[in-house]
Amino acid sequence: MPKGMNQKFKLYRLAQIMLEKTDEDHYITMPEILAALEEYEITADRKSIYNDLRDLEVLGIEVEGEPVGNRYHYHVVSRPFELPELKLLVDAIQSSRFITERKTNALIRKLEKLVSKYEAMKLQRQVYVSGRIKTMNESIYYTVDAIHNAISENRKIRFQYFQWNVKKEMELRHKGAYYHISPWGLSWKDENYYLVGYDSNAEQIKHYRVDKMLHIQMSEEAREGKEHFKKFNMADYAKKSFGMFGGKEQAVKLLVENSLAGVMIDRFGKDIMLIPADEEHFTVNVDVHVSNQFLGWIFSLGEGVKIVSPPQVVEQMNQEIARQAQKYNGNAGAE
């Protein structure tokens, strides 16, 4: 038999051919395998290919041969990810606001390489979510990585923080001064990624929108605030914050119509106690960061929810209602 060309690439190309051209529903014959190798200027005999197909198992690629008529059909029978799993990943990437459009497409193309060319077509799907607006900050992909690195190395980070102005321009906050924060975790809340960290100057836990962070740098200083995070529950923190806006954490008692039980459970979890108040209502006690966003959420539920206590939160709601009423009453008759 003539010695095949490019033999050192043969096993690699064979793996590439099998992974790209076969799956549970698509097979390839031995003549087709040999022809595909020839496209890479690799010649081989059948016997060596049989051995190579067995060797692919060492690489984690399991190939199965099935007799069909007078010849065998070969295909890959297992992969690291199943197609439904990859579809979920694609959907999550496409629906995530904090990943830019360009990075979204690049990530999906990489995921497509994990399946055959036939299944890759099924990953080219669009997830349409009402009001979905992708971030314009291309650096977020690397900002998240830098935050994780700082956490693993127990270091502080420095970064600039911006907001959008009415001219749709990035406007640095604090006149461009760098924030110096001890990162302790990341939270995904209300379609945005947030850094949760400790501000040593303010001596308190704060959070920052990751897509609004710029020019992140790892500091030489060790992180601070460990004592504040010993019993800190990241998921609980996000659950108590409405729109991730700050506010004093307080225990609030609500009177809620029975029809809104699902709304309470969706927002605060199944561990809350729904205590019957009468045939049509129940009460529930929740720990929340009381902010205008929380009051707005209560207001959006209309007559179905009422704040019962504490008195200072009830008063906050009354003041906010009066303030809004005055604002719109002041516009009465305006054209």
Side-chain angles (χ1 to χ4, degrees), residues 4 9 21 25 55 68 101 137 146 157 214 276 281 287 329:
F9 299 120
K21 295 180 180 291
D25 301 313
D55 290 341
V68 179
E101 200 69 46
N137 184 0
I157 56 173
L214 295 173
H281 299 83
D287 295 325
N329 286 337

Side-chain angles (χ1 to χ4, degrees), residues 234-293:
M234 195 72 69
D236 195 47
Y237 176 80
K239 183 174 67 176
K240 293 175 182 177
S241 301
F242 283 73
M244 289 299 281
F245 282 86
K248 181 181 178 182
E249 182 176 332
Q250 299 184 64
V252 177
K253 183 177 182 180
L254 305 174
L255 178 67
V256 186
E257 287 183 358
N258 291 341
S259 61
L260 294 177
V263 174
M264 296 296 125
I265 292 172
D266 287 344
R267 186 61 184 78
F268 300 106
K270 292 183 68 175
D271 292 336
I272 58 172
M273 292 186 63
L274 309 183
I275 304 170
D278 55 43
E279 291 185 358
E280 298 179 352
H281 299 83
F282 63 86
T283 61
V284 60
N285 295 291
V286 293
D287 295 325
V288 297
H289 295 153
V290 178
S291 63
N292 285 343
Q293 285 65 37

Side-chain angles (χ1 to χ4, degrees), residues 223-235:
R223 288 188 302 171
E224 296 180 322
K226 183 177 181 179
E227 65 280 4
H228 294 274
F229 283 87
K230 283 183 178 179
K231 297 182 180 180
F232 185 81
N233 186 310
M234 195 72 69

Side-chain angles (χ1 to χ4, degrees), residues 111-212:
L111 290 177
E112 289 175 357
K113 294 179 180 179
L114 298 176
V115 293
S116 70
K117 63 180 181 180
Y118 309 103
E119 292 183 330
M121 296 174 64
K122 298 177 182 178
L123 293 179
Q124 295 168 5
R125 47 210 253 126
Q126 293 293 321
V127 178
Y128 295 100
V129 183
S130 177
R132 176 68 70 251
I133 301 173
K134 289 281 191 178
T135 181
M136 291 175 283
N137 184 0
E138 187 69 37
S139 65
I140 185 173
Y141 199 69
Y142 307 100
T143 300
V144 171
D145 188 53
I147 292 170
H148 280 300
N149 288 338
I151 292 173
S152 65
E153 295 189 26
N154 198 38
R155 301 282 188 85
K156 288 184 179 181
I157 56 173
R158 299 177 72 249
F159 59 90
Q160 291 176 300
Y161 204 55
F162 77 86
Q163 62 188 5
W164 295 105
N165 62 23
V166 293
K167 297 180 181 179
K168 302 179 183 178
E169 300 169 332
M170 286 185 181
E171 190 174 81
L172 293 176
R173 302 188 67 174
H174 291 182
K175 298 181 180 179
Y178 275 78
Y179 291 66
H180 205 188
I181 301 296
S182 298
W184 285 93
L186 287 161
S187 177
W188 190 350
K189 176 71 174 176
D190 294 332
E191 302 181 11
N192 290 303
Y193 231 167
Y194 292 88
L195 160 70
V196 180
Y198 183 71
D199 184 333
S200 303
N201 293 328
E203 297 184 343
Q204 66 183 67
I205 294 172
K206 292 186 177 181
H207 57 262
Y208 305 85
R209 277 264 300 269
V210 175
D211 61 321
K212 293 187 176 181

